[in-house]
Amino acid sequence: MSWTRKLGTLQLKNLQTLLMTRTTSGDSSQNVADLLQDMQATEQKKKEKTDPDTTTVLLFAGQGSQKVGMADSFLQHPNVKTMFNAASDILKYDLLSLCQHGPQSELDRTVHCQPALLVTSLAAVEHLQETDPNVLEHCKACAGYSVGEYAALVFSGAISFEDAVALINVRAKAMQNACNAVSSEMVTAIGSASSKFRAACKTARDHIQEKFLIEKPVCHVSANLCTNTVTIAGHTEAINYLKEHHNEFEIRKIIPIPVSGAFHTNLMKPVSKKLELALKNVHIEEPLIKVYSNYTGKVFKSPQEIQRSLPLQVVRPVLWEQTMHAMFTRSGKINMPQVHDAGPGSQLGSLLRKCNGKAFLNYCPVNDYSK
């Protein structure tokens, strides 16, 4: 299963051999990363010059990109079914059947959607390994949007596949429970340079506190997507206010997002606490490639930072626009890397086009079911 670590072609073959041995012996508890410790140490010591024309980066999509049948293109690869089976054993339900047959209403539920996106995104990595291994061989950096950050961390070798599925199971269940406890929503707000997103949020909070007597109203920017475009999340009453009054703040359009509630706000504090506890039992490795953090918009500096950031990620805005600038800003003389979107759909491509048109010219979705 080449998705467990980002390695060179020879190392991926060696990894598959090790996994075959592991499966044959029945030892499913041994961490593959331990078996490859010496190999990874050698790889990290290499200081080869990077050719921008052959460099690649991977992006992993977040919730809202799911669709029944999204794994269709990847099921031809035997390891993909193995991945889904392993995840199903941890989750205690048939994840592949849900991804392929739905119904869409069940797949859209946070508790199901997040594990589905994690495994499907990593199935796309397996597809790349089988069809275009040079993409993985030359990958120097990756980033994932919200739940996609976990796929990026698995791909980079920081977290094992099994641990990531278990963490996402905790995260998804806790987020579903938080959404069930309080009526909340998330929308995309499209504006211009004169838009007053934060002022709109504050006015909405003041309004619902006075009208509905909500003691601690929540309505905040929950993600910076691209220039003049954000997501806003909070109590349903506050979002309804924005839908009616957005023009007063020079916000051109409000678009509902098909998620269960106000992700990346303080309404997710119970989720943050559960993740903090769950992460105490997870071993995190130094990533083998650069992984950009949703929380800071910068490269993770250490396993300790990863452990601290993941619980904070669910209650803080996703700094996606900042991440895209950090990944792709360079002098005009340096070529852009090839950009491969490993998530289902191509929503991240639309954001990249608005953040950096030059980088978008090298954008390629691995599985764009919109075509």
Side-chain angles (χ1 to χ4, degrees), residues 92-168:
K92 308 303 181 187
Y93 61 85
D94 190 339
L95 183 63
L96 180 57
S97 177
L98 182 62
C99 285
Q100 294 309 100
H101 306 296
Q104 185 69 41
S105 59
E106 281 298 305
L107 183 60
D108 285 342
R109 294 183 66 211
T110 295
V111 68
H112 296 143
C113 173
Q114 293 190 16
L117 285 171
L118 171 71
V119 180
T120 301
S121 295
L122 294 172
V125 173
E126 180 66 22
H127 177 73
L128 284 173
Q129 170 57 25
E130 294 295 328
T131 60
D132 194 359
N134 284 333
V135 171
L136 306 188
E137 179 74 17
H138 298 292
C139 186
K140 302 300 180 183
C142 62
Y145 187 96
S146 192
V147 65
E149 186 163 78
Y150 288 76
L153 289 168
V154 174
F155 173 65
S156 73
I159 297 178
S160 73
F161 174 78
E162 294 86 353
D163 281 342
V165 173
L167 282 172
I168 286 298

Side-chain angles (χ1 to χ4, degrees), residues 172-352:
K173 287 181 177 178
M175 291 176 85
Q176 187 73 62
N177 290 338
C179 294
N180 293 342
V182 179
S183 179
S184 60
E185 296 181 28
M186 182 181 293
V187 295
T188 299
I190 301 173
S192 64
S194 59
S195 297
K196 304 175 181 65
F197 296 119
R198 284 168 177 78
C201 291
K202 184 181 186 306
T203 303
R205 292 196 302 272
D206 292 343
H207 170 75
I208 67 171
Q209 187 172 37
E210 179 180 349
K211 183 174 182 178
F212 299 101
L213 303 180
I214 297 175
E215 292 186 4
K216 296 181 179 179
V218 173
C219 183
H220 296 281
V221 171
S222 56
N224 296 318
L225 299 180
C226 58
T227 304
N228 302 321
T229 303
V230 302
T231 66
I232 296 175
H235 285 97
T236 297
E237 296 87 347
I239 299 302
N240 287 338
Y241 178 87
L242 291 180
K243 290 175 182 177
E244 295 176 9
H245 298 275
H246 64 275
N247 288 329
E248 298 172 18
F249 302 93
E250 300 186 59
I251 298 172
R252 293 194 295 110
K253 190 182 295 186
I254 295 287
I255 304 171
I257 301 175
V259 295
S260 303
F263 302 158
H264 304 289
T265 71
N266 283 337
L267 290 178
M268 296 294 115
K269 277 188 175 180
V271 185
S272 183
K273 292 178 181 179
K274 287 185 179 294
L275 277 174
E276 190 173 347
L277 289 173
L279 280 159
K280 290 182 178 180
N281 299 316
V282 173
H283 178 70
I284 302 176
E285 297 272 0
E286 189 79 29
L288 295 178
I289 60 172
K290 293 179 180 179
V291 182
Y292 286 79
S293 165
N294 284 187
Y295 175 55
T296 65
K298 301 175 183 178
V299 175
F300 282 116
K301 296 179 181 178
S302 68
Q304 293 76 21
E305 184 185 2
I306 295 171
Q307 186 174 34
R308 291 192 302 267
S309 296
L310 291 179
L312 292 171
Q313 185 227 52
V314 295
V315 294
R316 296 289 191 271
V318 175
L319 302 183
W320 192 253
E321 181 181 5
Q322 292 87 332
T323 297
M324 294 299 94
H325 289 321
M327 291 186 85
F328 298 112
T329 297
R330 57 203 64 196
S331 69
K333 296 181 180 180
I334 301 177
N335 292 335
M336 288 291 177
Q338 295 294 317
V339 184
H340 293 265
D341 185 347
S346 57
Q347 290 88 333
L348 295 183
S350 298
L351 297 181
L352 179 60

